[in-house]
Amino acid sequence: MTKIIPAIMGGGVGARLWPLSRETHPKPFIRLADGKSLLQHTFLNAAALPGVERVLTITNRELFFKTEDEYRGLNVSGIESTYLLEPVGRDTAAAGAIVTLHVQQVFGDDAVIMLLPADHMIREGDAFRAAAAKAIALAGTGRLVTFGIEPEYPETGYGYIEADGENVVRFVEKPDLERAREYLASGRFYWNSGMFCFTAGTMARLMEEHCPDILAKSREALLAARHSSVASGLRIELDATDFSQVPKKSIDYAILEKAGNIAVVGCDIGWSDIGSWKALADLTQPDDKGNRINGDTVLHDTEGCYINSSERLIGVVGVKDLIIVDSADAILVAHKDEVQNVKQLVTQLKERGHEAHNVHRTVHRPWGTYTVLEEGERFKIKRIEVKPGASLSLQMHHHRSEHWVVVSGTAKVVNGDREIILTTNESTYIPCGTRHRLENPGIMQLVMIEVQSGDYLGEDDIVRFEDVYGRR
């Protein structure tokens, strides 16, 4: 029986979806109206393919714990995970090479790989599985297969595939509106989904022919990788020195535009690459005035707007065709026709050195989360949540002292030479320069308030002596 290995490609910031998407919380982790993230939807679609027992995920190593938490939250049984962790991003050709080499080594040349972006949405699961069955059959004949989405309108934000039946004629970059209309009218073009299906042996041969440098350097990085077991399967950390030397190219440029005999499976699977707020808005049903609402709102004389608020009430009066997105530390207001330019705001934030391009007010860590409640001259107040059984590193700060107050749960604290247990309403003070550690020894979430004071309160003022998560 053919071995089917889905491989999910993480990566990309999703700057057009700021302020919900940040560099440390990229697009795959954005939650939709049903409470699931794009990454979780992708995992569920991959795991539902017939005969799948293992799902690969290739992503940045800094996102490993967040990714593992996303999968754990689904409570899917019978599926093991392999995490291929990149020290730096080297684009989709390198990701495809690493996945291919790993599957070839473990499962052999005939294993079929289903390469799926982590941040696309597929709403029609049955249609996707039917399309996947066709792609798997074609891949078994030695062909590289791509999924073509039947176009609904003349979209200028997608690449296109021209096809003659199941045979790809050419790949086309994002067209202008006039050309997109011509493509739609011809009936010969599909939207390029960025999803692929192939055997490990087929892709290895194509890479050896068209991008041998990418394949060779990826092989070196994989051979030098560190392997370790995790609760859900296997963690493989690629060697940073070797992987950073892999040429940075897309799989489209490195393979698809050069290879022949590529097949396409045309499909209507409720697909979207969620490349803008307009695309995300389309996943929400409109009201009788065309407004699409996610969150608590009150509207008057408002038409055709998308409003997303996870925390606060949003009042909107006398406007139309606006995108309004509220997060804990930033608000976006944009006209629907300008949503592709949201990334320009992210560029400006980077140039100004503003944290809002990189992190949310709530920051995820391997042990839990922290939320900055207030910050001012020489002080910062955080709400800290620590998972049951988790612990922070044994650490020290040069420039700040900290006061910890337990709100709920039980804390095991190392404070200098002392080890103490704190429960609700109890506290401890940690002077600047003192070694300390926080641990949750209980079975419930530990919630604490931390008050920092000092002349520098940046997150980089930390010296780690011991860390169970391997951080320096």
Side-chain angles (χ1 to χ4, degrees):
M1 185 175 178
T2 303
K3 197 76 174 177
I4 311 299
I5 309 294
I8 298 173
M9 293 186 294
V13 176
R16 292 182 181 88
L17 291 176
W18 184 88
L20 294 194
S21 179
R22 310 285 174 100
E23 287 189 0
T24 59
H25 186 83
K27 186 169 72 164
F29 299 97
I30 289 179
R31 301 213 170 271
L32 306 181
D34 64 359
K36 294 186 180 68
S37 67
L38 287 168
L39 176 62
Q40 287 178 321
H41 278 283
T42 303
F43 182 89
L44 289 173
N45 279 320
L49 292 171
V52 168
E53 298 173 354
R54 178 173 293 272
V55 175
L56 307 187
T57 302
I58 182 162
T59 189
N60 187 281
R61 66 184 179 191
E62 299 300 323
L63 298 175
F64 164 68
F65 293 102
K66 187 190 291 279
T67 300
E68 190 180 38
D69 283 347
E70 291 288 298
Y71 294 168
R72 186 183 293 118
L74 293 172
N75 294 317
V76 176
S77 60
I79 301 292
E80 293 192 344
S81 288
T82 295
Y83 302 92
L84 297 159
L85 304 179
E86 301 174 327
V88 292
R90 305 308 294 162
D91 218 325
T92 53
I98 292 294
V99 166
T100 295
L101 290 167
H102 173 75
V103 171
Q104 188 180 39
Q105 181 184 39
V106 177
F107 301 105
D109 281 350
D110 293 334
V112 174
I113 298 168
M114 193 75 67
L115 198 60
L116 306 171
D119 54 1
H120 292 188
M121 184 64 185
I122 296 171
R123 296 190 296 276
E124 303 295 337
D126 289 342
F128 171 65
R129 286 184 286 276
K134 295 178 183 178
I136 290 165
L138 286 167
T141 68
R143 302 188 73 177
L144 170 57
V145 186
T146 184
F147 291 79
I149 307 301
E150 296 175 6
E152 302 171 10
Y153 50 86
E155 173 62 57
T156 60
Y158 299 151
Y160 283 71
I161 302 168
E162 184 178 6
D164 181 8
E166 68 181 27
N167 301 310
V168 171
V169 175
R170 60 175 174 143
F171 292 88
V172 183
E173 293 296 325
K174 298 173 183 177
D176 57 29
L177 183 58
E178 181 179 355
R179 189 155 296 178
R181 286 172 175 157
E182 292 175 3
Y183 293 165
L184 186 64
S186 74
R188 290 174 55 87
F189 287 83
Y190 296 104
W191 289 337
N192 186 353
S193 70
M195 302 187 298
F196 308 101
C197 183
F198 47 85
T199 66
T202 295
M203 181 57 82
R205 287 190 296 273
L206 287 172
M207 288 194 155
E208 193 66 64
E209 179 180 355
H210 299 293
C211 54
D213 50 348
I214 292 176
L215 189 66
K217 288 297 181 182
S218 296
R219 182 178 284 112
E220 291 175 13
L222 191 57
L223 286 172
R226 293 191 303 165
H227 294 61
S228 58
S229 296
V230 294
S232 57
L234 179 64
R235 168 177 168 165
I236 301 174
E237 293 188 60
L238 301 172
D239 182 77
T241 301
D242 290 324
F243 194 70
S244 63
Q245 296 175 30
V246 178
K248 192 174 184 179
K249 294 181 182 177
S250 70
I251 199 167
D252 299 66
Y253 180 76
I255 299 292
L256 298 181
E257 294 179 6
K258 300 174 183 177
N261 197 31
I262 299 177
V264 60
V265 172
C267 50
D268 182 5
I269 55 177
W271 173 90
S272 173
D273 74 343
I274 316 295
S276 70
W277 279 112
K278 183 178 181 301
L280 193 62
D282 287 343
L283 300 180
T284 302
Q285 288 297 315
D287 63 16
D288 57 359
K289 292 190 176 180
N291 297 304
R292 300 172 188 267
I293 308 301
N294 184 13
D296 194 9
T297 63
V298 56
L299 310 180
H300 175 73
D301 191 23
T302 297
E303 298 179 16
C305 291
Y306 173 67
I307 305 165
N308 186 316
S309 175
S310 60
E311 297 186 11
R312 288 176 286 201
L313 171 68
I314 300 292
V316 184
V317 179
V319 299
K320 63 187 302 185
D321 297 335
L322 291 184
I323 302 289
I324 302 171
V325 182
D326 181 40
S327 69
D329 61 346
I331 298 173
L332 170 70
V333 180
H335 193 277
K336 279 185 175 180
D337 294 341
E338 297 294 328
V339 290
Q340 294 293 338
N341 291 320
V342 171
K343 63 181 180 179
Q344 304 302 329
L345 300 182
V346 177
T347 299
Q348 290 185 46
L349 290 170
K350 284 184 178 181
E351 291 172 350
R352 289 165 49 184
H354 199 295
E355 280 191 341
H357 84 274
N358 185 39
V359 296
H360 282 282
R361 183 166 289 175
T362 295
V363 178
H364 292 259
R365 289 287 187 256
W367 42 262
T369 64
Y370 72 79
T371 302
V372 178
L373 302 177
E374 188 173 351
E375 187 172 3
E377 184 74 23
R378 293 181 57 84
F379 81 93
K380 183 186 290 186
I381 304 173
K382 291 181 176 179
R383 182 181 191 273
I384 296 176
E385 292 194 26
V386 185
K387 302 172 189 174
S391 67
L392 284 67
S393 58
L394 180 64
Q395 58 187 251
M396 179 266 287
H397 309 296
H398 288 295
H399 302 283
R400 70 176 185 254
S401 59
E402 297 176 344
H403 194 156
W404 292 347
V405 182
V406 176
V407 176
S408 61
T410 301
K412 182 179 179 181
V413 177
V414 172
N415 187 350
D417 296 331
R418 296 183 301 146
E419 183 174 286
I420 56 178
I421 297 293
L422 302 176
T423 57
T424 302
N425 289 331
E426 295 182 329
S427 64
T428 188
Y429 172 72
I430 301 167
C432 181
T434 301
R435 293 193 183 199
H436 58 279
R437 188 204 302 266
L438 174 63
E439 180 180 345
N440 179 359
I443 59 174
M444 299 176 59
Q445 198 89 339
L446 167 63
V447 180
M448 297 185 56
I449 297 297
E450 175 183 274
V451 180
Q452 302 177 0
S453 61
D455 54 13
Y456 179 71
L457 304 174
E459 294 300 323
D460 55 346
D461 176 25
I462 182 171
V463 179
R464 290 191 176 98
F465 302 101
E466 298 174 9
D467 184 59
V468 296
Y469 307 109
R471 298 170 298 172
R472 290 184 297 172

